[in-house]
Amino acid sequence: MELGITEIQQIIPHRYPMLLIDKVTELVPGKKAVAIRNVSGHEEIFNGHFPNNPVLPGVLIVESLAQTGAVALLSMDEFKGKTAYFGGIKSAKFHQMVRPGDTLRLEVEMTKLRNHIGSGEGIAYVDDQKVCSAKLTFMIGE
């Protein structure tokens, strides 16, 4: 199942400029989501991070992973129309820089779901190289 921007926006409430995933290539509601983010040199963030040495901030990579996990959770029938908030970020590690022109493959597998709190493990890749890994906690709210 592949989802484009319109379908993603029907699941999560994020919109430009905070929608940080371009498509979802794999989705198992409540279990797993795989998304793609094409990193463009035209993104405003690169004007200041860093001039003449553009690097995607790690916090935006983690947010991209979180949005991917939110798609997995909010595609469940009981959470449709809700919002997934960060409950915590554990052991985020950055393994390689991400630059304009890179394509991020964002994989999030949910490891625990109890009531309105979920945990997952996310890994971001460029090509087949791991660029970021993080353990994320989500809180489902209205």
Side-chain angles (χ1 to χ4, degrees):
M1 164 191 284
E2 188 165 300
L3 306 175
I5 296 287
T6 303
E7 293 89 1
I8 293 168
Q9 290 177 332
Q10 292 172 357
I11 298 171
I12 63 175
H14 301 76
R15 300 295 183 266
Y16 176 85
M18 269 312 288
L19 180 60
L20 300 178
I21 55 178
D22 296 316
K23 69 180 174 180
V24 173
T25 59
E26 185 179 337
L27 176 60
V28 180
K31 302 284 185 201
K32 180 180 181 177
V34 178
I36 300 296
R37 176 177 181 191
N38 297 305
V39 181
S40 167
H42 298 291
E43 294 181 43
E44 186 70 23
I45 196 74
F46 294 125
N47 289 328
H49 199 269
F50 301 99
N52 302 315
N53 183 24
V55 176
L56 186 65
V59 68
L60 295 181
I61 299 169
V62 172
E63 175 64 22
S64 300
L65 286 166
Q67 290 181 20
T68 303
V71 168
L73 287 172
L74 299 179
S75 62
M76 297 173 63
D77 287 337
E78 67 246 51
F79 296 140
K80 285 186 189 224
K82 304 218 182 253
T83 301
Y85 298 99
F86 259 133
I89 304 168
K90 293 182 181 178
S91 67
K93 294 186 179 166
F94 303 95
H95 308 279
Q96 181 176 309
M97 285 187 256
V98 176
R99 299 190 178 274
D102 286 342
T103 298
L104 283 170
R105 186 177 79 249
L106 305 149
E107 300 183 2
V108 177
E109 188 161 337
M110 301 308 301
T111 55
K112 186 176 182 182
L113 180 59
R114 183 177 171 129
N115 297 323
H116 287 78
I117 298 175
S119 299
E121 295 182 4
I123 302 175
Y125 298 91
V126 171
D127 297 319
D128 287 325
Q129 298 294 311
K130 186 189 308 184
V131 297
C132 176
S133 56
K135 294 182 180 178
L136 308 171
T137 302
F138 301 88
M139 297 173 61
I140 308 299
E142 297 303 316

